[in-house]
Amino acid sequence: INAEYGHFIIASGSRPREHPTVAIDGEYILTSDHIASLERFPDSMVILGAGVIGCEYATIFSKFKQTKVFLIDRAERILPFEDADIAGRCAANFRRRDVTIHSECSLESMEVRNGAVEYVVVDNASQARKTVRVERALLSIGRVPNIEQLGLKNANVGVDKRGNIKLRDVVGTSQPHIAAVGDMTADMSLVNVAEIEARYAVHRFFSPMRRQPHFLDETGAFLPTNVSTIMFLDPEIAAVGLNETMAQAQRVAYRCAVYDFSLVSRAIAMRNTQGCIKLLVTNDRDMRILGIRAAGPHASSLIEVVSLLVRTRRSIHDLSELLTAYPSVTEGLHEAVRCLLGSSIYKPEVFPALSVYEWTPTDGKQALVFGDNVEPTAD
């Protein structure tokens, strides 16, 4: 197709990443592209990759109770970018559904033999090998952008050594009339991120006013701070902002409240108390909101209350003014705020399902938070 237009947006998406030593045939060894073509539930399935997508498929197949699921995880635990306590809730439910997790194991081989998939995993510590036969295998090891057939060089669009599009100002390419959005960028591969990038690309092309979008920082770099994410697991997990793992990696001192759903009236009424609310704030007098993790029913709806406050660097003093409906899961968020402020009627000393604690780098050298120096809370 030959076409001439004044502006172009590249939004060609991505495809499942292939494994260098495993041949994908679409019948026995599958990717997410092939799952919808299955005519029945396999009796057994191994999933390579224990990130969000791999764990979501493990949740789907294990909940239908027709497939024995195996999960290969080379890390110490599933969902390695989430905190251990949040990931642990999902892992505990996997074990209850008889999902076998090959923790800290590497895949040595996987091939189709006699109408089944045979794979060998190696324990990273002991080097012990284990051979397992399953009916199907699903590879969930990430995605790669679809750029090979676009003819980018013909359009003088710059690419890096790995073949990815070089971007400036988040969506801009080396050609001012060509933008790239969605999985084509190096940002978060999420539908909501792709949408705001596309809107921004159109804005850059046609708007006479270059208003700074809310998802860019002062330097023009992508700002994922208040991007809401949902993990369709059991329990459902939703997130905004920093978790403990991120905060510690960035050397950001924080205070944290974990409020269990066993103390939330709505969850009790729903007979579903498997979950919690985990709220992080700066460890200073302002107690500005760093992030939230919610696991359990209505988790994805609950975090939206916090999203804008994270972006605008607001304090939990502002959030404490929230008047929640009764009964609702947001009551748990309100109580987590009160716990951090010391005004909750629920005390950690009485309720083991509730905890409040803080973290500071052991050497006392804290990073900047929101561009400001953090003043530790006085003892």
Side-chain angles (χ1 to χ4, degrees):
I1 298 176
N2 294 320
E4 292 186 7
Y5 297 97
H7 300 89
F8 290 85
I9 294 179
I10 302 173
S12 52
S14 63
R15 64 185 184 278
R17 185 185 303 277
E18 297 183 1
H19 193 280
T21 63
V22 178
I24 299 170
D25 60 10
E27 181 179 0
Y28 293 97
I29 301 179
L30 318 170
T31 68
S32 57
D33 286 350
H34 308 114
I35 285 294
S37 63
L38 288 175
E39 296 181 354
R40 64 174 180 83
F41 286 96
D43 293 332
S44 57
M45 171 182 284
V46 62
I47 300 175
L48 177 61
V52 174
I53 304 301
C55 287
E56 286 181 335
Y57 277 114
T59 299
I60 292 170
F61 281 96
S62 64
K63 289 193 75 170
F64 276 104
K65 300 180 180 180
Q66 298 185 51
T67 304
K68 166 63 180 176
V69 178
F70 298 83
L71 191 60
I72 301 176
D73 182 15
R74 65 181 180 181
E76 182 180 356
R77 55 180 170 81
I78 64 172
L79 304 172
F81 298 108
E82 280 302 324
D83 292 338
D85 56 345
I86 298 295
R89 290 176 179 267
C90 181
N93 276 342
F94 278 155
R95 287 190 289 270
R96 279 192 285 268
R97 293 199 185 93
D98 195 32
V99 174
T100 298
I101 303 176
H102 299 296
S103 298
E104 297 185 86
C105 287
S106 300
L107 179 69
E108 183 176 88
S109 64
M110 178 183 291
E111 56 187 352
V112 179
R113 287 189 177 181
N114 301 322
V117 178
E118 184 175 290
Y119 68 92
V120 179
V121 290
V122 180
D123 186 280
N124 294 338
S126 66
Q127 297 301 305
R129 286 171 169 77
K130 185 175 183 179
T131 301
V132 183
R133 285 178 63 85
V134 293
E135 190 173 331
R136 294 290 188 272
L138 171 63
L139 270 57
S140 181
I141 52 176
R143 302 184 67 85
V144 293
N146 294 320
I147 61 175
E148 292 84 358
Q149 306 301 319
L150 296 179
L152 297 178
K153 292 183 179 180
N154 298 332
N156 294 319
V157 174
V159 296
D160 60 24
K161 294 181 180 179
R162 297 185 298 175
N164 297 327
I165 297 176
K166 292 181 179 179
L167 295 174
R168 54 181 177 80
D169 196 14
V170 180
V171 298
T173 69
S174 56
Q175 298 299 313
H177 65 292
I178 301 177
V181 303
D183 289 0
M184 306 302 300
T185 72
D187 301 323
M188 305 169 75
S189 296
L190 299 170
V191 172
N192 51 345
V193 172
E195 179 185 354
I196 60 175
E197 288 178 341
R199 288 177 176 272
Y200 179 51
V202 174
H203 174 81
R204 292 175 74 253
F205 286 154
F206 301 109
S207 176
M209 297 181 63
R210 288 293 182 89
R211 179 178 60 86
Q212 182 78 349
H214 63 85
F215 60 91
L216 300 184
D217 64 15
E218 291 79 2
T219 67
F222 180 77
L223 187 68
T225 308
N226 70 319
V227 174
S228 302
T229 60
I230 310 171
M231 290 163 265
F232 296 98
L233 308 170
D234 188 15
E236 174 184 317
I237 298 174
V240 170
L242 299 182
N243 59 19
E244 288 193 81
T245 302
M246 297 173 183
Q248 292 181 16
Q250 299 175 29
R251 304 179 63 79
V252 175
Y254 60 83
R255 296 189 68 199
C256 178
V258 180
Y259 196 87
D260 197 85
F261 269 29
S262 62
L263 302 174
V264 178
S265 299
R266 178 64 176 268
I268 295 171
M270 295 171 65
R271 304 295 191 269
N272 188 353
T273 58
Q274 290 189 25
C276 70
I277 296 165
K278 188 173 185 179
L279 184 62
L280 264 70
V281 301
T282 56
N283 193 16
D284 57 16
R285 293 186 178 89
D286 290 336
M287 300 179 72
R288 286 176 289 181
I289 303 168
L290 294 171
I292 184 174
R293 293 300 182 272
H298 299 185
S300 57
S301 299
L302 188 152
I303 64 169
E304 302 300 343
V305 178
V306 180
S307 178
L308 183 61
L309 298 180
V310 171
R311 178 65 182 92
T312 54
R313 308 175 181 179
R314 303 299 289 269
S315 167
I316 60 168
H317 293 284
D318 299 314
L319 190 56
S320 68
E321 299 178 7
L322 176 69
L323 297 177
T324 60
Y326 179 86
S328 66
V329 293
T330 50
E331 287 182 86
L333 172 61
H334 204 178
E335 285 301 326
V337 170
R338 287 170 173 163
C339 288
L340 287 167
L341 294 174
S343 59
S344 175
I345 62 173
Y346 296 95
K347 305 300 180 184
E349 298 82 2
V350 180
F351 296 93
L354 167 65
S355 59
V356 178
Y357 53 91
E358 62 183 50
W359 179 87
T360 303
T362 54
D363 58 7
K365 297 180 180 179
Q366 301 179 27
L368 296 178
V369 181
F370 302 131
D372 303 326
N373 282 310
V374 178
E375 181 183 355
T377 303
D379 294 334

